Structure formats: structure tokens, C-alpha cells
Amino acid sequence: MKVLKFGGTSVGSPARMKKLLDIINPQERQIVVLSAMSGTTNNLVEIGQAYLAGDKAKAANLIQILKEKYEGIIKELYSKDEFYEQAKGVIDHHFGLLSSLANDLFTTIEDKIILAQGELLSTTLYHIYLKEIGVPSVLLPALDFMKTDEDSEPVVDYITSHLTPRLDKHPEVNLFITQGFICRNSFGEIDNLRRGGSDYTASLIGAGIRSEEVQIWTDIDGMHNNDPRIVSNTKPIAQLSFDEAAELAYFGAKILHPQSVFPAQKYKIPVRLLNTMDPQAAGTLITNTSEKDKIKSIAAKDDITAIKIHSSRMLLAHGFLRRVFEVFERYRTSIDMITTSEVAVSLTIDDTTYLGEITKELAAFGTVEVDVNHTIICVVGDFAAEKNGYAARVLDAIKHVPVRMISYGGSDHNLSLLVKTEEKTEVLRSLHSRLF
Ligand code: ASP
Ligand code: MG
């Protein structure tokens, strides 16, 4: 049984929703995971922020604008009164709920409830559409089987034990529709898998039911070998390993939620990235294996802060790095890149929430320097194929650009560079022309 996930743009308008049946084959048993319609989650975030700020009038106004948008959508989506009326009831219910939160004490619990409405709306409206056109389907509430534990980690076994019986209950139905992104946390409250989390949902379901394949349908034909917004002549990558895909997704390739790679990897479920606008295009296939002897792709991640700790005490000392890392651990800040010399260590973070506290504590070890506005450029490929001198080619391609950090050898398939963000375009283009 395959799992197909459609992102916000793929369900972004009534016309798009209707086109999904060009891709979904109702003769095949499958689970369809939908995101919220594009823009909706952002709008819901704003509504939450307005409530949080105590600005109920603003929240009410934003709710009204979004509701009117959905009223327009359902006028276009359905042609029969019966189904239009059902959808109208659904909209009234969800927007009524959003409005009613004005009466509650507003905490993160209410905020998560708000964010969940986008996926609840898109799936319910699509399910009603399928009913109107006579395609049998079952709407499976993700909140019944998608669950995270005390560490906010999704529980695959829970998905298996709670989703499988729900599928078995409908042996005659092929099409199951469910929400991406949303889940219940360990307290049973409504929660989510963080922004872009619908990919993660699809991969988790794929793992939970040991699916034959997970398909992520977006609006680009797979993962590209460089950022198409910056470099021309980028090409989709035919094949990636899970490790390579995770690296690229984490270091900037926006097409895939980075965590979504891991459940599929663990249970060896192939993941295909495909394009709704061009369903015949091959896209990218992510599996356990990778083509040898190739540079696969270049990705860039902005808003990186570099921190250098310079200390003569580091010389010949043991335990120094542990004490440095512990500071970051205390502030739940993850480190992306790290390079060391005998007297200094440099590392990068992207979450600067606790930068002030962190640098203050690090000052106890030595002098601390902070460089903001940097970009990690990540080159992914078979660097173990030494004879090709890929590392040398990478460095040669950027010899005219100052490089703040280089990380090589952490794995066989990655070389990362830290440069000033203002150099990013030049670095991406220069690497592209030298490597591909
Ligand atoms: N709707 C959620 C978001 O915009 C989840 C997703 O689309 O993957 O972040
Ligand atoms: Mg996405």
C-alpha cells in the first residue's frame, strides 16, 4: 500500500484539488496525506499571534478574512447543493471554533488547536468532494493514530497499532484520506510535527504500515542539484541515499522536511519526490543505496551564526570540548558544524534564542567571537571516491572567496563550507559550474 502526500500548493485551489485524481488512482489501495491549502497555516499562525498579543479584534478580523476565502473555495469546489451545504457546515464549525478561542485563556495548547485547523479543513473538504463525484473514500483522523512521546518524538509502533485496524475495517475501500502535520502529544493534547511536517507524517505512516513506497508530491520535479532560485540550469537528482537526502534537506533543500527521512530509512521504505504539475517527470528516488563516484548536489542554509572560542587552556587539555558542548546542551541549542585547532574551536548554530546566555557562559573558557549572517554551503556526493579529487575541486572552485569554516570527513558523503551570506550566490554558481 502506497502513501501519497500532497503539499499546500497541490491542494491550493479547487482546481488543484480536482486535478489530484489525475495522480491518485482510485483502483489502488492507498493513503493520501494532505497539507493545509497553501497560505492557510501562515494565516493561522497570525491568528494565534493576535490572540497571544491579546488583540482579539485583530484575531476576529483575520478569522473573518480567512473564512471568506474558504467560502469562495467551496462555491467553486462543489456543484451539488447537498455537498456544498455539508462543506458550509464544516467551515462554520472550524471557524466557529477559531472564534470561540477568544473566550479562553490563551496558551500554547490553544495555539496548537488553531494551527491544526488547516489540515482538518483541507482533508474534510476534499473528502466531501470525493463523495460528490462518487469516489469511495474514508477520512481517517490523524489525531487517532499520530502520537508523539515525552520527548516530542513520534511513536511508529503506536501508528502501526492504531492505524492498521482502522484500515482493516474497510477492506472494500481503496482510498484513505488523512491530515499531515497534526498529532497528539504525550498528554493527549492536539500538537503538530512542526512547520512543513506533513512530509514527516507521510514517512511515519509509511513506516507504521510498512508501506511499499512513500510519494511526496510538490511543485518541483524532485530535489535539484543546486538551488534553482539562484543558479540556472539546475537538474533534478534521479537517485539519493537516505543519508544524502537528510543532509540536503537539513542544509537547505526546501523540498523535504529533514526529519521525514529517518522513519523511511529505518524501515527501508523508498521515498519518491514527485511534481504535481508534471506527474510524468521521474523526480527523485530516495533509497538505501546511492550512485557511487558522483557529486550529487549543493545546498545552502542561511541565518547561520558562527561562534569561536579561543583558549590557551585548550592546548593538551582533555574535557574541554565536553564543557563547551554542555553549554549548548543546557540551552537546548543544536550545533551544525564544528572545526577545531589546538587553541580554538569554531562552531555554528542556527537558533540564536539563547545566544546571549551561551556566549556569557562560554566567556569563562576564553575569548569568544560571534559572526552573524553566514551561510552553510553543503556539497553532497561520494567523497570517498578520493581519486577524483572532489574535495580539491570544491576548494579550487571557491579559491577567490574567503571561507570561515570547512568541515570534511564527518561522513563520506559531505563537505560543508561556511561563508558570509553575501558570498552565497557566487559560491553556489562557481561550485555549480566546476562540479556539474
Ligand atoms: N501546513 C503545515 C505547514 O505549512 C504543514 C505542511 O504543509 O507540511 O507548515
Ligand atoms: Mg513542505
Side-chain angles (χ1 to χ4, degrees):
M1 193 171 179
K2 286 183 185 155
V3 180
L4 279 67
K5 177 258 171 176
F6 294 94
T9 36
S10 303
V11 293
S13 67
R16 285 288 178 72
M17 285 201 189
K18 292 180 187 179
K19 290 282 270 185
L20 290 189
L21 278 176
D22 292 354
I23 293 166
I24 300 168
N25 174 5
Q27 309 307 325
E28 246 181 66
R29 204 165 149 87
Q30 64 205 290
I31 300 181
V32 172
V33 177
L34 300 183
S35 289
M37 296 179 80
S38 53
T40 296
T41 309
N42 287 344
N43 293 333
L44 295 170
V45 168
E46 288 170 34
I47 292 168
Q49 283 166 346
Y51 273 134
L52 204 61
D55 194 343
K56 289 184 188 175
K58 185 174 177 191
N61 187 36
L62 290 168
I63 292 168
Q64 187 54 32
I65 293 169
L66 191 59
K67 185 174 183 198
E68 281 165 18
K69 183 174 152 184
Y70 274 85
E71 283 168 345
I73 287 164
I74 61 167
K75 280 195 188 120
E76 233 182 293
L77 188 55
Y78 308 98
S79 40
K80 299 192 184 122
D81 284 349
E82 180 195 347
F83 299 98
Y84 171 82
E85 288 305 328
Q86 275 185 33
K88 182 81 184 65
V90 168
I91 288 181
D92 289 343
H93 167 76
H94 289 281
F95 285 90
L97 180 85
L98 289 175
S99 303
S100 73
L101 294 172
N103 311 321
D104 292 6
L105 180 71
F106 199 83
T107 68
T108 54
I109 299 178
E110 282 71 26
D111 199 39
K112 301 279 175 60
I113 293 174
I114 292 183
L115 292 184
Q117 303 309 311
E119 272 73 9
L120 292 169
L121 276 163
S122 64
T123 48
T124 313
L125 296 180
Y126 188 61
H127 177 61
I128 296 173
Y129 169 72
L130 290 175
K131 276 202 279 187
E132 180 181 281
I133 62 167
V135 173
S137 71
V138 169
L139 183 62
L140 295 171
L143 298 177
D144 288 351
F145 60 83
M146 193 57 68
K147 191 172 163 57
T148 54
D149 63 16
E150 300 74 22
D151 300 318
S152 303
E153 289 294 329
V155 190
V156 172
D157 288 345
Y158 190 92
I159 299 170
T160 309
S161 61
H162 286 72
L163 179 53
T164 314
R166 285 173 169 79
L167 297 171
D168 292 346
K169 233 168 82 187
H170 302 280
E172 76 299 347
V173 176
N174 281 335
L175 214 52
F176 295 88
I177 314 292
T178 193
Q179 299 86 22
F181 182 56
I182 62 174
C183 63
R184 284 191 192 278
N185 61 25
S186 58
F187 302 107
E189 298 155 354
I190 294 183
D191 208 327
N192 62 63
L193 302 171
R194 298 202 209 109
R195 295 305 306 270
S198 294
D199 299 342
Y200 200 14
T201 301
S203 172
L204 287 162
I205 292 178
I209 65 161
R210 311 294 191 265
S211 170
E212 61 190 276
E213 180 172 299
V214 172
Q215 299 182 348
I216 309 283
W217 289 86
T218 58
D219 48 9
I220 178 167
D221 49 351
M223 211 181 266
H224 276 225
N225 62 359
N226 206 328
D227 189 335
R229 291 163 305 180
I230 296 176
V231 179
S232 47
N233 301 322
T234 65
K235 288 200 183 65
I237 315 162
Q239 213 255 316
L240 282 172
S241 70
F242 288 114
D243 284 335
E244 291 169 339
E247 208 100 55
L248 288 170
Y250 185 72
F251 287 116
K254 292 275 177 309
I255 174 170
L256 189 66
H257 184 282
Q259 274 167 303
S260 64
V261 176
F262 301 115
Q265 179 169 32
K266 183 162 176 203
Y267 295 91
K268 301 193 176 61
I269 317 284
V271 176
R272 242 179 239 284
L273 309 180
L274 294 157
N275 186 359
T276 333
M277 319 288 182
D278 184 7
Q280 301 313 321
T284 299
L285 176 65
I286 307 169
T287 61
N288 251 337
T289 55
S290 175
E291 285 170 278
K292 292 279 164 234
D293 216 5
K294 265 193 137 168
I295 294 283
K296 293 294 188 62
S297 178
I298 305 162
K301 185 174 178 173
D302 293 333
D303 297 320
I304 301 295
T305 298
I307 303 171
K308 185 195 282 173
I309 306 119
H310 192 281
S311 168
S312 51
R313 269 186 286 154
M314 196 175 154
L315 195 67
L316 299 175
H318 49 79
F320 182 82
L321 285 178
R322 177 178 55 75
R323 290 197 295 278
V324 168
F325 288 151
E326 273 170 359
V327 174
F328 290 85
E329 195 184 338
R330 271 200 292 286
Y331 292 100
R332 294 179 140 267
T333 300
S334 71
I335 298 168
D336 285 333
M337 242 175 115
I338 159 154
T339 54
T340 66
S341 82
E342 254 325 303
V343 289
V345 49
S346 274
L347 38 81
T348 70
I349 58 173
D350 65 348
D351 177 0
T352 52
T353 316
Y354 299 106
L355 182 61
E357 288 87 341
I358 289 171
T359 48
K360 213 167 139 196
E361 291 204 22
L362 290 176
F365 305 131
T367 47
V368 179
E369 269 172 53
V370 175
D371 293 312
V372 295
N373 295 331
H374 274 64
T375 293
I376 293 178
I377 310 282
C378 167
V379 185
V380 162
D382 182 14
F383 282 96
E386 282 288 8
K387 62 183 187 305
N388 290 304
Y390 286 145
R393 271 166 68 185
V394 168
L395 296 180
D396 193 53
I398 52 147
K399 61 184 174 215
H400 54 298
V401 178
V403 179
R404 172 73 176 75
M405 285 167 69
I406 300 174
S407 169
Y408 176 71
S411 73
D412 281 348
H413 54 259
N414 165 290
L415 189 158
S416 299
L417 307 159
L418 185 72
V419 297
K420 286 204 176 108
T421 300
E422 64 203 46
E423 309 280 8
K424 173 173 84 167
T425 303
E426 173 55 25
V427 171
L428 288 180
R429 288 185 181 153
S430 182
L431 284 170
H432 199 77
S433 65
R434 284 301 300 271
L435 298 177
F436 300 124

